[in-house]
Amino acid sequence: MIDTKAFYETLINNDFDYFAGVPDSLLKEFCLCVNTLSKENHIITANEGNAVALASGYNIATSKYGVVYMQNSGLGNAVNPLLSLSDEKVYKIPMLLIIGYRGEPGTKDEPQHIKQGELTLPLLDTLGIKYMILCENYMQQIKYCRDYVAETSRPIALVVRKDSFSKFEEGRNRANTNALSREEALAAIIESLNDNDFIVSTTGKTSREIFEIREKNNEGHANDFLTVGSMGHTSSLALGISRSTDKNIYCIDGDGAFIMHMGGLAVAVQNAPDNFKYILINNGCHESVGGQPTIAYDIDIPKILSGFGFKKVLVADCKEAIVSALKEQQEAGKVAIVINVNSDSRKDLRRPTTTPIYNKEQFMKKIASTYESTNI
Ligand SMILES: Cc1ncc(C[n+]2csc(CCOP(=O)(O)OP(=O)(O)O)c2C)c(N)n1
């Protein structure tokens, strides 16, 4: 296991002294360390492509090297700036990528990580990005990366396996002190919906909690599309569904996901029918991957949502407020609900026991059955 603080200090000593990225569970301890020790030179970006651009800007301004960290699922977001900004055929910008290796071949992981894991190294090869798997010899590896970026002006990557970093104990703060938990908020939502209402929920623990609440209630899962991957795209997915049915489609988003592809929601609101029901669960952090802060409590989300075209934005922070907000949202179109929750979750939270394909098929059957009954 690699000592997280010593790893961080080795980066700093090798001129890798600026950090940008989107958190990942495999990089949780590293992210916590950077967030605690690098107050001025660290920005958690909206998405991984932004982090590549930010590190590029740092290099352009200072000739020094940025570090971009991400889960391998963020590589997709980063490909465009890696190929059209930092690539040697364009601006040739050096930086160090630190990539969490979810779904590493030969290990067990969730369905959304399997293909990404298989393709992580081939993708880096295709992008022409040299990489190393991070190991105990990290001091030599970082020194090598330093020399490589200095000589070639190209990005280089360290790919990080599960359980590589030691626990970083400093700076474990809660993101906020709201009373309500996300799981309590989701239970209140589910209690207020009926059998003809559908949920499209965001990646991470939100979807896992929805699955468990349905199990606990002895309800099926056919009304819920649990978007296990595709962070930030849930509102577009819900838009696609809501435009083809008259049933209510409840898009349950997270603040990190909302921020990642905010433009998707703006377009969704502009094109959404009244049955598109948007609910943002705001805990001010990326709770599912370690609780690293987002900017959600620093920006005016209700104003942003109103600006996107919602006629009304209701903010709730307790069960009663959620129930009354849902009632108002059910009765009118273009009403968004923001639910402020704390940054806690159960330690014993499990993962869906059914596959994404089974989940999709059940959801499709159920939604198709509502068209049939409408037609009778
Ligand atoms: C493109 C991409 N980048 C990073 C991740 C890793 N990831 C999974 S869940 C998550 C946090 C989501 O934060 P938020 O939407 O606020 O929901 P919360 O976990 O707080 O409920 C992240 C960063 C991912 N799945 N996809």
Side-chain angles (χ1 to χ4, degrees):
M1 191 164 278
I2 291 164
D3 184 290
T4 305
K5 195 168 177 183
F7 175 81
Y8 167 80
E9 282 164 356
T10 310
L11 289 174
I12 300 286
N13 293 336
N14 281 275
D15 296 333
F16 291 120
D17 60 355
Y18 197 92
F19 301 87
V22 177
D24 168 33
S25 50
L26 299 194
L27 303 178
K28 181 171 140 187
E29 304 303 327
F30 173 70
C31 293
L32 200 60
C33 175
V34 172
N35 209 38
T36 309
L37 301 182
S38 196
K39 291 265 180 276
E40 297 302 318
N41 279 357
H42 174 219
I43 293 178
I44 298 175
T45 53
N47 61 56
E48 293 81 356
N50 292 164
V52 171
L54 188 65
S56 300
Y58 178 65
N59 175 261
I60 291 165
T62 64
S63 297
K64 294 202 273 181
Y65 310 114
V67 176
V68 171
Y69 62 83
M70 67 178 85
Q71 181 175 102
N72 51 354
S73 56
L75 262 174
N77 281 335
V79 163
N80 175 253
L82 283 171
L83 289 182
S84 65
L85 178 68
S86 61
D87 189 78
E88 59 181 336
K89 293 196 170 126
V90 197
Y91 295 105
K92 214 176 171 184
I93 299 175
M95 70 189 71
L96 173 63
L97 309 177
I98 296 185
I99 303 170
Y101 201 0
R102 292 294 303 258
E104 179 186 355
T107 66
K108 227 175 146 306
D109 210 331
E110 296 306 301
Q112 68 274 24
H113 295 296
I114 292 172
K115 194 63 154 267
Q116 188 73 59
E118 285 166 8
L119 291 183
T120 296
L121 305 184
L123 187 56
L124 289 170
D125 279 330
T126 305
L127 294 170
I129 296 176
K130 196 172 180 125
Y131 60 82
M132 284 175 266
I133 306 285
L134 183 69
C135 69
E136 297 287 343
N137 259 344
Y138 67 88
M139 288 195 187
Q140 278 105 309
Q141 289 185 315
I142 292 173
K143 168 94 182 50
Y144 179 89
C145 291
R146 163 71 179 79
D147 293 343
Y148 179 88
V149 296
E151 271 162 37
T152 65
S153 278
R154 294 167 72 168
I156 187 166
L158 286 173
V159 179
V160 181
R161 288 187 163 131
K162 194 165 179 231
D163 297 329
S164 288
F165 287 120
S166 67
K167 239 188 171 38
F168 182 81
E169 290 297 351
E170 301 162 47
R172 289 185 183 274
N173 296 327
R174 289 182 66 187
N176 69 66
T177 52
N178 292 323
L180 194 72
S181 73
R182 181 186 48 218
E183 190 167 3
E184 288 163 344
L186 293 170
I189 295 169
I190 287 173
E191 217 181 288
S192 298
L193 303 190
N194 67 47
D195 195 44
N196 268 336
D197 294 324
F198 292 85
I199 289 176
V200 181
S201 55
T202 187
T203 186
K205 291 188 190 168
T206 297
S207 286
R208 289 166 60 183
E209 287 173 349
I210 289 172
F211 188 89
E212 291 227 335
I213 292 163
R214 293 291 196 190
E215 292 275 287
K216 202 166 130 206
N217 294 352
N218 275 325
E219 295 164 347
H221 303 282
N223 287 57
D224 312 327
F225 191 99
L226 309 171
T227 321
V228 291
S230 274
M231 182 171 165
H233 294 297
T234 310
S235 54
S236 302
L237 180 60
L239 175 68
I241 298 169
S242 65
R243 281 173 62 95
S244 306
T245 173
D246 61 349
K247 297 292 169 278
N248 285 336
I249 305 297
Y250 288 87
C251 173
I252 304 185
D253 215 351
D255 52 290
F258 158 74
I259 289 164
M260 179 168 274
H261 293 301
M262 202 183 282
L265 179 61
V267 171
V269 184
Q270 288 300 311
N271 290 281
D274 283 353
N275 60 328
F276 174 88
K277 307 287 187 192
Y278 187 73
I279 302 174
L280 178 63
I281 308 275
N282 186 5
N283 54 15
C285 67
H286 296 94
E287 198 277 322
S288 301
V289 292
Q292 305 84 349
T294 68
I295 56 163
Y297 281 109
D298 306 318
I299 59 178
D300 193 334
I301 290 181
K303 257 197 192 149
I304 291 169
L305 295 179
S306 299
F308 284 176
F310 283 111
K311 287 192 198 119
K312 200 163 187 186
V313 182
L314 303 164
V315 179
D317 56 9
C318 64
K319 191 178 165 187
E320 297 70 38
I322 293 174
V323 172
S324 97
L326 280 164
K327 203 162 176 302
E328 205 172 330
Q329 191 189 44
Q330 267 151 15
E331 285 159 8
K334 297 261 161 103
V335 174
I337 302 175
V338 179
I339 306 178
N340 293 330
V341 300
N342 61 40
S343 46
D344 296 337
S345 64
R346 266 189 297 128
K347 296 275 167 292
D348 60 353
L349 181 66
R350 291 172 304 153
R351 293 177 185 277
T353 48
T354 54
T355 66
I357 293 173
Y358 182 77
N359 173 217
K360 184 200 75 171
E361 286 171 355
Q362 296 300 106
F363 185 93
M364 286 178 76
K365 261 193 210 151
K366 184 76 188 267
I367 208 158
S369 75
T370 67
Y371 309 148
E372 282 150 23
S373 55
T374 316
N375 291 341
I376 289 169

